[in-house]
Amino acid sequence: MNPDIPAIAVENLTARYGERTILEGVTCAVRPGEVFLIIGGSGCGKSTLLKYMIGLYTPAAGRVCVHGVDLSTLDEEALLGMRKGMGVLFQSGALIGSMTLFENVALPLSEHTRLPDETIARIVRMKLALVDLAGYEDLYPAELSGGMKKRAGLARAMALDPSILFFDEPSSGLDPVSSAELEATITRINEGTGTTLVIVSHDLDLIFHIAHRVVLLDSEARGIIAEGDPHRLRETSRDRRVIRFLNRTIEG
């Protein structure tokens, strides 16, 4: 892939649910190999922007390009092919409760490839080892802790070696130790594989520990009010909305 072409380019995006406009005129770009966070308070459109990046919705205006390809120009088959190069970790992990951890991670490989069983088994073990779950293959989701479920969901999201991984509030519901373990896993994957990571979060610990760049959304602005390195934004921004969010302060 051409490193000069953004992994994802959002151009003048307008997103609506019915008559309600959630985002308007949003423009941003995700560089190949970076950890890019979409941040902001509840209801500002973080998860909405993520869904448009994945191609789940068609913009009311503007466009989303992945590796230079406008998603709105693709038919259903081509869009499905594009999505095979993306992995998604949902808030819950979205594991299938009736399947073992091995079977959950193997599922995308069984459905989308013609690899022999031995090769699939080797890939599954490799992905589980990458998220520190080697040896847990035969457990069911109900037997895993919250942090383990998130990491298992991450292993499954990586099964097809996607070039882009999407995370929706990955640290939601985790205790501080589990959250720190997940942060370390995410960082290790990015540094070890060069995979582009796009993460929705309002967790300041996660934001300041792993983000290369962020875009901060605001519900009243219906779009981006700040973009850049979160540490620099916290130190230099003069926008009260940015200061409040990045310092967890309220106006008296």
Side-chain angles (χ1 to χ4, degrees):
M1 296 178 184
N2 189 336
D4 296 325
I5 297 176
I8 304 171
V10 179
E11 302 174 2
N12 295 312
L13 172 74
T14 294
R16 294 193 181 102
Y17 291 141
E19 297 298 315
R20 184 182 172 211
T21 299
I22 308 299
L23 300 169
E24 190 167 20
V26 170
T27 295
C28 62
V30 182
R31 301 164 186 158
E34 79 172 334
V35 181
F36 183 90
L37 268 69
I38 303 168
I39 68 175
S42 299
C44 68
K46 300 187 300 296
S47 294
T48 296
L49 180 55
L50 187 81
K51 290 172 183 175
Y52 278 89
M53 287 180 168
I54 298 171
L56 297 178
Y57 300 132
T58 300
R63 65 178 189 163
V64 175
C65 298
V66 175
H67 301 308
V69 179
D70 184 347
L71 296 184
S72 67
T73 67
L74 302 178
D75 59 25
E76 187 173 343
E77 183 177 355
L79 186 57
L80 179 60
M82 179 70 76
R83 288 202 190 114
K84 288 179 183 178
M86 306 174 183
V88 183
L89 177 62
F90 299 98
Q91 285 192 39
S92 63
L95 299 173
I96 299 172
S98 61
M99 300 175 73
T100 65
L101 182 50
F102 180 96
E103 292 167 337
N104 267 282
V105 178
L107 186 60
L109 293 160
S110 300
E111 289 191 344
H112 298 296
T113 75
R114 296 181 179 179
L115 294 172
D117 290 345
E118 315 86 73
T119 303
I120 289 176
R122 187 167 63 250
I123 293 171
V124 170
R125 287 193 294 268
M126 181 178 65
K127 301 303 181 184
L128 289 173
L130 193 59
V131 298
D132 295 326
L133 287 175
Y136 293 90
E137 293 90 343
D138 295 330
L139 295 186
Y140 288 86
E143 300 174 286
L144 304 176
S145 68
M148 293 169 72
K149 288 179 183 177
K150 291 288 180 78
R151 285 185 280 130
L154 178 54
R156 187 178 62 183
M158 294 190 299
L160 295 174
D161 291 327
S163 62
I164 305 172
L165 278 171
F166 295 94
F167 302 76
D168 190 5
E169 298 285 6
S171 59
S172 175
L174 297 183
D175 62 77
V177 173
S178 296
S179 182
E181 290 174 345
L182 183 62
E183 288 174 15
T185 300
I186 291 171
T187 300
R188 186 170 66 249
I189 288 168
N190 172 255
E191 293 176 348
T193 67
T195 304
T196 304
L197 308 183
V198 180
I199 303 172
V200 163
S201 185
H202 62 267
D203 182 337
L204 290 188
D205 288 336
L206 185 73
I207 292 166
F208 286 114
H209 289 165
I210 72 171
H212 296 161
R213 282 192 309 129
V214 304
V215 288
L216 175 56
L217 302 183
D218 180 77
S219 57
E220 292 186 5
R222 296 178 180 173
I224 297 169
I225 58 171
E227 179 176 355
D229 180 307
H231 298 89
R232 185 169 179 79
L233 289 175
R234 182 169 60 179
E235 294 167 1
T236 65
S237 178
R238 297 294 179 264
D239 189 317
R240 288 186 300 172
R241 299 166 298 180
V242 177
I243 295 169
R244 285 201 306 272
F245 183 84
L246 294 179
N247 290 279
R248 284 196 179 125
T249 59
I250 61 174
E251 293 184 331

